[in-house]
Amino acid sequence: MKHAELHFEQVVGSTRGYFVEENPIGINLLIHLKNEGDRLLQLIVTLVNATITTIDVEPHSEFAFGVTSVQTIGIAASKSPDIGTPIGKGTLILIPNFSEMNLS
């Protein structure tokens, strides 16, 4: 996988999985979430050692970070505040083995 770019829309109050790594040691990824809606999104990342990291991404903002040993990635769309559209939407970009890429 060179990289994956997933555009999504999901009903508020729902959590949906977007990535599962089949290799038992996980995968190293740069994870970039763009929140393109007016609802808070929560990026939920599970690592091989069962550590779960949850990151809040505010409406109309973005967040990116590199992490090792990723097993799953999910996104939750917040119910509150009860304003605007009842849809969480954005783009999830996954770049594998980012730390090993030659950018020169």
Side-chain angles (χ1 to χ4, degrees):
M1 166 172 64
K2 195 169 190 179
H3 80 279
E5 186 169 328
L6 310 165
H7 301 279
F8 65 89
E9 290 188 6
Q10 65 189 65
V11 177
V12 297
S14 67
T15 302
R16 187 178 294 167
Y18 288 94
F19 176 83
V20 176
E21 174 58 37
E22 294 179 2
N23 185 333
I25 63 170
I27 187 172
N28 301 339
L29 289 172
L30 174 69
I31 302 169
H32 184 180
L33 178 60
K34 297 179 183 180
N35 186 340
E36 299 164 349
D38 57 4
R39 298 299 180 131
L40 176 76
L41 295 178
Q42 289 185 310
L43 177 63
I44 305 162
V45 180
T46 305
L47 304 179
V48 169
N49 62 5
T51 300
I52 298 174
T53 301
T54 303
I55 299 158
D56 291 345
V57 181
E58 297 293 329
H60 306 290
S61 69
E62 52 191 274
F63 183 82
F65 71 113
V67 66
T68 61
S69 303
V70 175
Q71 280 296 169
T72 66
I73 298 172
I75 296 172
S78 176
K79 283 187 175 182
S80 63
D82 194 20
I83 57 170
T85 178
I87 301 290
K89 62 182 178 178
T91 302
L92 177 64
I93 301 167
L94 305 175
I95 303 173
N97 302 315
F98 182 76
S99 62
E100 301 167 17
M101 291 177 70
N102 181 358
L103 301 177
S104 58

